[in-house]
Amino acid sequence: MQTVQQFTSLSHLSCSQCGHKYDAFEVHSFAPCCNQPLVANYDIPETFTRNLLRGREANMWRYREVLPVMDPANIVTLGEGMTPILTPRHLREKYGMPSLFIKDESLNPTGSFKARGLSAAVSKAKEAGAHTCIVPTAGNAGGALAAYCAAAGLKAIVVMPRHTPKVFKDECNLYGAELILVDGLISDCAKKVAEMKQTTDCFDISTLKEPWRLEGKKTMGYEIAEQMNWTLPNVILYPTGGGTGLIGMWKAFEEMERMGWIGSHRPRMIAVQAATCQPIVHTWQGVQPNCRKYVGRPSIANGLAVPNPFAENMILRVLRESKGTAIAIQDNDMIAAVKEVARMEGLVMAPEGGAIWEALLELIAQGTIHREEKILLLNTGSGYKYLENIC
Ligand SMILES: *Cc1c(COP(=O)(O)O)cnc(C)c1O
Ligand SMILES: [Zn+2]
């Protein structure tokens, strides 16, 4: 029998800016000292070794020692994680990229990698005794919150831009969530959530304004290492909105190095954004001092339409430390890329995935990435939800 103490090694939370410590069992928001995200810290036991993973469940909870849930009874799972890493044979041959890989996150519940973050966060909401969860979303996070809240028996409130394609709204309704439509982008939805929280008691799961979604998303980093036999790729391309996946993978690499699971080699991390909403690219290139006043427009890749990412400092730190870069892609190039990959590989990626394929071609043309390198693309979502706007 496993005792509750052995299940997670969560010890405390700390401010991502100054390191100030917070109680992991009381706080579920961001760090007031610097107005920055909180990150979870663990006292990882030496008994947690790579061998222990063998034979465990094929979902992200196989890494439960480094996930934040105290009591296994609170885990809300729909089988998220352990998505395949594909070897796209025809693209490899046509473009001369012998070590190209695609991690296909479209196979997650609700069709995107948002499932990982919401599985972790809704589990923690349940553990905290919450009855209602709320999220501002550009699309996929809303469907995922609605599904996990249904599974948990909690009420979900989803606040979404009115212009979001119908299918993203339909899925929220189907899972029994309350859907609120707002004119504007996700930043406007975030204002609405802040306003509603004044009068309604609910667990706020806004991107990186609570520490738990990051913990779910970091499992991508653990899986990449485990599935690639503990040798990380040279380059990872990631479609960046709020940045949770990028920051999460980087956190996973640090934790694994501390445990002796991997060495100090790190991939260069590439943040790919939409040309119509590229706050990180502009800050990275020095066009603006930070993202706070950036004004974005919608993109077909709605997951990338995040004009003022709360965790911009953390995103930029990953790009700097990894010697990576940031690049923006036009919507029509994303669509062309989705079509090419579909025809050549039988994989319908989200436009966010199309963006990383086009970004790879551009970065190879610039000489930033070499064809022979071990390259990993993260297809973060399914193209099926976007078909009416792609075809
Ligand atoms: C949300 C989303 C992203 C961006 O993820 P962040 O963690 O916010 O950076 C990328 N792709 C898809 C399909 C998404 O739904
Ligand atoms: Zn601080």
Side-chain angles (χ1 to χ4, degrees):
M1 262 289 290
Q2 217 161 15
T3 68
V4 168
Q5 281 80 3
Q6 281 170 323
F7 195 77
T8 176
S9 57
L10 181 66
S11 63
H12 64 277
L13 298 169
S14 59
C15 169
S16 58
Q17 192 82 27
C18 74
H20 186 85
K21 287 187 181 184
Y22 291 88
D23 190 323
F25 310 102
E26 283 170 14
V27 192
H28 302 281
S29 59
F30 55 89
C33 50
C34 302
N35 198 24
Q36 290 291 319
L38 279 169
V39 291
N41 294 264
Y42 298 83
D43 277 329
I44 305 170
E46 276 175 18
T47 49
F48 186 41
T49 60
R50 294 182 337 191
N51 284 343
L52 218 57
L53 302 174
R54 229 175 270 154
R56 280 195 175 178
E57 64 271 46
N59 66 52
M60 72 175 206
W61 295 97
R62 67 197 277 104
Y63 308 109
R64 54 190 173 243
E65 282 87 346
V66 288
L67 288 173
V69 174
M70 303 306 294
D71 181 349
N74 292 324
I75 290 182
V76 185
T77 179
L78 296 168
E80 56 293 322
M82 267 297 162
T83 55
I85 295 184
L86 307 173
T87 53
R89 248 189 53 216
H90 297 115
L91 292 174
R92 282 179 170 201
E93 274 168 26
K94 178 174 174 191
Y95 291 94
M97 300 177 193
S99 299
L100 175 67
F101 297 91
I102 303 177
K103 186 162 174 64
D104 187 18
E105 289 290 300
S106 74
L107 293 172
N108 276 303
T110 68
S112 87
F113 75 149
K114 291 290 191 303
R116 295 178 187 269
L118 274 308
S119 174
V122 172
S123 297
K124 287 302 281 182
K126 188 176 167 193
E127 193 152 79
H131 50 81
T132 303
C133 296
I134 190 165
V135 79
T137 177
N140 277 318
L145 178 77
Y148 283 90
C149 278
L154 303 181
K155 179 178 156 79
I157 304 175
V158 175
V159 186
M160 193 183 280
R162 198 179 303 279
H163 66 256
T164 313
K166 184 171 176 290
V167 60
F168 294 93
K169 300 169 187 164
D170 288 346
E171 66 173 344
C172 291
N173 288 325
L174 207 51
Y175 291 124
E178 180 183 338
L179 181 63
I180 296 169
L181 301 176
V182 167
D183 293 312
L185 291 178
I186 189 171
S187 40
D188 303 290
C189 299
K191 282 176 205 147
K192 178 75 183 170
V193 167
E195 192 185 297
M196 287 184 66
K197 272 176 26 185
Q198 313 263 310
T199 53
T200 330
D201 176 28
C202 42
F203 196 91
D204 180 2
I205 310 189
S206 305
T207 304
L208 285 155
K209 291 201 171 154
E210 55 74 41
W212 313 125
R213 270 170 80 179
L214 180 63
E215 294 305 289
K217 285 232 185 131
K218 87 178 176 191
T219 58
M220 284 192 299
Y222 278 87
E223 287 174 24
I224 290 166
E226 187 180 359
Q227 292 172 316
M228 296 191 134
N229 208 11
W230 311 107
T231 308
L232 299 178
N234 299 113
V235 194
I236 295 180
L237 284 90
Y238 174 81
T240 306
T244 328
L246 186 88
I247 300 163
M249 284 186 280
W250 199 246
K251 184 171 191 282
F253 300 154
E254 283 171 1
E255 289 174 0
M256 284 187 287
E257 185 180 355
R258 224 176 303 135
M259 293 191 285
W261 290 16
I262 60 169
S264 59
H265 163 77
R266 291 284 186 282
R268 308 198 299 290
M269 306 295 280
I270 316 279
V272 180
Q273 298 209 291
T276 53
C277 192
Q278 46 172 315
I280 294 295
V281 177
H282 275 199
T283 309
W284 179 252
Q285 293 175 345
V287 177
Q288 58 185 15
N290 59 54
C291 303
R292 265 167 251 161
K293 290 192 179 137
Y294 185 87
V295 179
R297 284 180 289 122
S299 165
I300 185 172
N302 44 28
L304 305 186
V306 184
N308 319 109
F310 182 58
E312 62 170 309
N313 292 351
M314 297 178 84
I315 297 172
L316 293 163
R317 203 183 307 147
V318 173
L319 300 187
R320 269 195 314 272
E321 289 179 1
S322 75
K323 303 188 170 57
T325 191
I327 182 172
I329 303 298
Q330 304 279 356
D331 276 21
N332 53 353
D333 289 331
M334 294 179 200
I335 295 172
V338 167
K339 289 180 176 170
E340 178 179 29
V341 175
R343 275 196 305 270
M344 292 190 69
E345 299 295 342
L347 172 65
V348 178
M349 301 197 296
E352 289 85 343
I356 48 173
W357 173 240
E358 174 63 21
L360 175 60
L361 296 179
E362 292 187 17
L363 292 169
I364 284 181
Q366 288 176 17
T368 308
I369 298 176
H370 304 289
R371 290 174 195 279
E372 312 72 40
E373 290 192 283
K374 190 167 164 186
I375 302 162
L376 180 66
L377 308 180
L378 276 165
N379 175 40
T380 45
S382 169
Y384 282 84
K385 287 193 199 172
Y386 305 74
L387 284 187
E388 61 178 322
N389 296 308
I390 291 175
C391 296

